[in-house]
Amino acid sequence: MDRLKCLVCLQPVSEPLFLSNYFSPPRIICMECEAAFEQLQGQRCPHCHRLLVDEKTCSDCRFMHQYFKPLDRIQILYDYNDFMKEVIHAYKGRGDIKLARVFAYLLRGHLSYMKSFDAVIALPTSDEKLKQRGFSQMEEILSHLPVPCSRCLTMSSRLKQSELTKKERLKQVNPFAVSRPVDGRILLIDDIYTTGLTVHHAAEVLRAQGVHTVEVLTFARP
Ligand SMILES: [Zn+2]
Ligand SMILES: [Zn+2]
């Protein structure tokens, strides 16, 4: 039988065989790669998890909440360390689609939480990006999980966010639109929480449709 290879580092996966894991699905990433996804460190804002340095309250939250209703909850799974950066780049930048299974694997402990929502929405990709990459990166991850996904958001193309200042980003038109009826409790899934503007924009259009709770789960936060 072929040795299984880690989907991230391509090294053979070796796992000690116990009765407890005999019937579990085979590992898709090695233990070293799994351990390289690190938890957030340091003192963090209890709401958005930004690293707080000599601050009592979070300036990101203060700024964002002047313009948007706060999200009901924000969860960040891991730190945006060099390893996470590289894996996200390989997935989104180089389009290594098999890594979607790795991200799905990282969500495995959150399945019952995800199933408790009326719908889980993968942050959509603009048509332009979809053409370049060939797949919608967040939807592809959710396609590997037994959760109630909903495709009810569409996103129009917009300027490259990293080239804009925070104020310029805020002045942009909300790039999201709701394409089918949605209500109840919604969970948004995205890859990285940076300024948070993307998920706040998505929450804004959902709430305008009568959604009462919007929670956010992302894989990493710088
Ligand atoms: Zn590995
Ligand atoms: Zn905050």
Side-chain angles (χ1 to χ4, degrees):
M1 187 182 121
D2 281 348
R3 296 284 300 278
L4 285 163
K5 287 198 176 131
C6 170
L7 288 180
V8 179
C9 69
L10 308 178
Q11 296 302 307
V13 174
S14 54
E15 185 174 36
L17 200 59
F18 300 116
L19 197 56
S20 57
N21 63 19
Y22 187 78
F23 296 106
S24 343
R27 284 187 83 83
I28 59 165
I29 62 171
C30 70
M31 294 208 263
E32 288 79 7
C33 284
E34 191 165 349
F37 291 113
E38 294 172 321
Q39 304 294 312
L40 294 177
Q41 309 283 330
Q43 202 201 338
R44 299 276 170 168
C45 166
H47 182 65
C48 75
H49 311 281
R50 188 173 76 90
L51 188 63
L52 298 178
V53 185
D54 298 329
E55 297 155 275
K56 289 232 163 55
T57 57
C58 174
S59 54
D60 273 15
C61 281
R62 277 201 310 276
F63 183 80
M64 197 57 88
H65 298 163
Q66 287 172 30
Y67 301 92
F68 295 96
K69 187 170 186 274
L71 295 161
D72 292 283
R73 187 181 182 190
I74 300 168
Q75 288 194 80
I76 317 281
L77 295 183
Y78 298 100
D79 185 32
Y80 190 57
N81 61 12
D82 288 347
F83 182 74
M84 178 61 93
K85 213 176 279 180
E86 174 53 32
V87 178
I88 289 179
H89 178 71
Y91 181 51
K92 286 175 65 180
R94 297 203 297 271
D96 186 353
I97 196 168
K98 70 180 185 329
L99 293 173
R101 291 177 56 209
V102 173
F103 289 105
Y105 177 81
L106 297 179
L107 288 170
R108 73 199 180 291
H110 301 269
L111 284 183
S112 53
Y113 167 70
M114 292 168 82
K115 284 178 186 168
S116 75
F117 287 86
D118 293 300
V120 178
I121 301 178
L123 257 279
T125 311
S126 68
D127 286 348
E128 185 188 301
K129 285 257 176 66
L130 199 59
K131 264 193 214 127
Q132 278 168 18
R133 199 178 289 133
F135 62 96
S136 170
Q137 74 268 8
M138 290 300 122
E139 255 181 36
E140 182 65 28
I141 294 170
L142 293 186
S143 73
H144 295 281
L145 295 168
V147 292
C149 297
S150 173
R151 283 190 192 164
C152 56
L153 280 184
T154 54
M155 185 194 204
S156 50
S157 327
R158 51 182 189 169
L159 300 165
K160 197 164 163 36
Q161 297 301 291
S162 50
E163 287 165 9
L164 304 176
T165 66
K166 214 183 221 181
K167 283 249 164 72
E168 283 170 337
R169 289 186 200 193
L170 270 166
K171 268 191 261 159
Q172 294 179 99
V173 187
N174 189 325
F176 294 102
V178 175
S179 57
R180 65 174 71 161
V182 60
D183 57 17
R185 290 178 67 239
I186 300 295
L187 177 66
L188 292 173
I189 307 277
D190 202 8
D191 52 355
I192 310 169
Y193 188 102
T194 314
T195 60
L197 186 62
T198 312
V199 284
H200 281 83
H201 267 149
E204 187 178 62
V205 296
L206 289 168
R207 281 178 170 145
Q209 296 296 311
V211 166
H212 60 75
T213 302
V214 183
E215 300 193 11
V216 170
L217 182 68
T218 76
F219 290 98
R221 197 203 201 296

